[in-house]
Amino acid sequence: MTLTLALLALACTPDDTVTPPHMPRLVDVNYAADGYIDLLTRTEVLADAVDESPGGSPINWDDATAFFMMDVNTRDMQALDDAIDHADPDYANVIAGMEALLSVDTSYAESLGPMSNTMASLSNLTLKQWEDWFWSGSRSVTNDEGVTVTAEFNVAWVGTGWLVELLQSTEDGRYNDTTWFSGYYDADGALGWWDFYRSGGVLAVMEYEGDIGDGYAEVYWPTTDRAGDRMTWEWDAPGVGRVDFEDEQPPPNPPDQTLVIIDSDGSGEATIPDDFDDTVHVCWDSDLRNASCPSDKKP
C-alpha cells in the first residue's frame, strides 16, 4: 500500500527536468543597433520597462500592426492608377511612379520577405504560457537563407510592451537556438523595432511608429551586399505619403534613389534610376495626367 501511494505521488510530481525556452530580457536588447536609425531611442522607450512584469497577456495577433508583422508594402499607394487606361500615354508618369513603388516592395520582399512570411505563419500559433509574463511556441519555417528551421517564438511582457525574439534551430546543428530576429512592440502598438541577424551580425534594422496608412517606418541594412541601403515609408493618410529607397552604390557613386511622393489630391512625383547612372524625374496632376515638374520643386 505504501509503495503504491509513493508511486502515485511520483507520477503526479511535475517534470522538473523540462528546460523552459529562453525568455527575452531587457539585457538582451541590442542598444548598439539603435545607432543605425534616428527614429527611436531605445533607452527612452524602455525607461519604464521591467523584466518579469505581472499582469501581462500575449500579443493580440488580430490587432497587431502591419509593421510588427513586417508586412510592409505600398499596395494602398499603388492603387492610385487602378482606374486609368494604362495604354493612354497621358498617364505614363503616374504609371511609372506606381512601377517604382512596386520595385521598392520587391526589393524589400527579397531581403525580409521570409521574416514576414514567418510572422504570418506564427499568427495562428498556440503559445504555451511559462510564466505570468512569458509565452513561447515553435513551428517549422523556411528562413531567409532558404533553410528549413524550427523557429521558436518567445515573447515576454515588460510592463510597457513586449520583448520578442525568433530563435532558429536545425537538427544538424547549423543553427542552435540562434537569434534570427528580435525586437520590441509597444503595448498600444504605436511603435517598435526589429533587429534581423545573419551569421551573428546585424543584417538589417527596422524602426517604426504608427502603421501603414498613418505612420512611418525605416529599414537600414548595415552588412552583406546591401550594406548602406535604406528604405523609408511615410503615410499621412491611406494612399498618401512618401516612399524613399536609397540603394547604396560602390564609391564614389552616390546611391541610386527611388522616390515617390503622392499628395492628398492624388497628384505626385517620382524620381527613378535609369540605365545610365542618372535619374528620371516625372510628375502628374490631380487627374493623374502627365504634368511638368516645377523647376523649384526638388524631391
Side-chain angles (χ1 to χ4, degrees):
M1 181 67 176
T2 303
L3 179 60
T4 301
L5 291 175
L7 291 173
L8 288 172
L10 181 62
C12 295
T13 301
D15 185 0
D16 294 331
T17 64
V18 175
T19 302
H22 177 263
M23 181 172 69
R25 294 178 177 273
L26 294 169
V27 71
D28 298 318
V29 174
N30 188 347
Y31 294 97
D34 195 19
Y36 294 124
I37 299 174
D38 294 332
L39 180 62
L40 302 174
T41 301
R42 299 183 183 190
T43 53
E44 294 178 1
V45 171
L46 298 174
D48 297 322
V50 179
D51 285 328
E52 301 184 6
S53 293
S57 60
I59 295 170
N60 185 342
W61 293 98
D62 293 334
D63 294 336
T65 66
F67 290 157
F68 173 74
M69 299 300 291
M70 304 174 206
D71 187 18
V72 184
N73 60 73
T74 59
R75 285 192 290 268
D76 62 338
M77 300 176 76
Q78 292 177 51
L80 185 66
D81 71 342
D82 283 353
I84 67 172
D85 180 1
H86 282 229
D88 189 334
D90 286 346
Y91 298 109
N93 289 357
V94 68
I95 292 171
M98 299 306 99
E99 290 175 347
L101 286 174
L102 178 60
S103 73
V104 175
D105 285 358
T106 300
S107 184
Y108 172 85
E110 287 173 349
S111 177
L112 302 181
M115 293 73 150
S116 177
N117 293 339
T118 293
M119 292 298 292
S121 170
L122 296 174
S123 63
N124 62 2
L125 182 66
T126 300
L127 301 180
K128 177 178 178 179
Q129 182 168 358
W130 291 87
E131 302 285 354
D132 186 40
W133 49 79
F134 177 44
W135 303 264
S136 179
S138 62
R139 175 162 290 168
S140 178
V141 301
T142 301
N143 72 6
D144 58 305
E145 296 182 278
V147 179
T148 299
V149 301
T150 297
E152 183 178 274
F153 178 78
N154 300 326
V155 54
W157 172 251
V158 291
T160 60
W162 298 268
L163 295 179
V164 184
E165 67 181 12
L166 266 290
L167 308 182
Q168 52 183 340
S169 298
T170 52
E171 292 184 358
D172 62 6
R174 176 177 177 181
Y175 303 96
N176 184 15
D177 286 341
T178 305
T179 302
W180 184 12
F181 50 96
S182 61
Y184 173 78
Y185 186 52
D186 203 63
D188 59 6
L191 58 85
W193 63 77
W194 286 111
D195 298 328
F196 307 95
Y197 296 89
R198 180 179 290 176
S199 301
V202 177
L203 169 69
V205 174
M206 173 190 287
E207 293 184 358
Y208 57 86
E209 290 182 336
D211 199 11
I212 288 178
D214 183 19
Y216 180 96
E218 186 169 344
V219 177
Y220 178 78
W221 285 262
T223 62
T224 70
D225 58 350
R226 300 194 63 149
D229 287 1
R230 187 181 301 271
M231 290 183 182
T232 59
W233 302 261
E234 183 173 8
W235 284 268
D236 301 317
V240 177
R242 174 189 178 106
V243 176
D244 190 358
F245 174 30
E246 294 185 2
D247 185 2
E248 190 72 8
Q249 300 299 307
N253 300 308
D256 281 342
Q257 184 180 37
T258 301
L259 172 66
V260 180
I261 301 172
I262 300 178
D263 295 325
S264 58
D265 63 356
S267 63
E269 61 185 281
T271 300
I272 308 166
D274 67 11
D275 295 331
F276 302 99
D277 297 326
D278 201 354
T279 57
V280 174
H281 188 200
V282 298
C283 300
W284 59 91
D285 60 22
S286 58
D287 293 326
L288 307 187
R289 294 183 179 275
N290 301 343
S292 299
C293 296
S295 58
D296 60 345
K297 187 176 182 181
K298 300 296 183 183

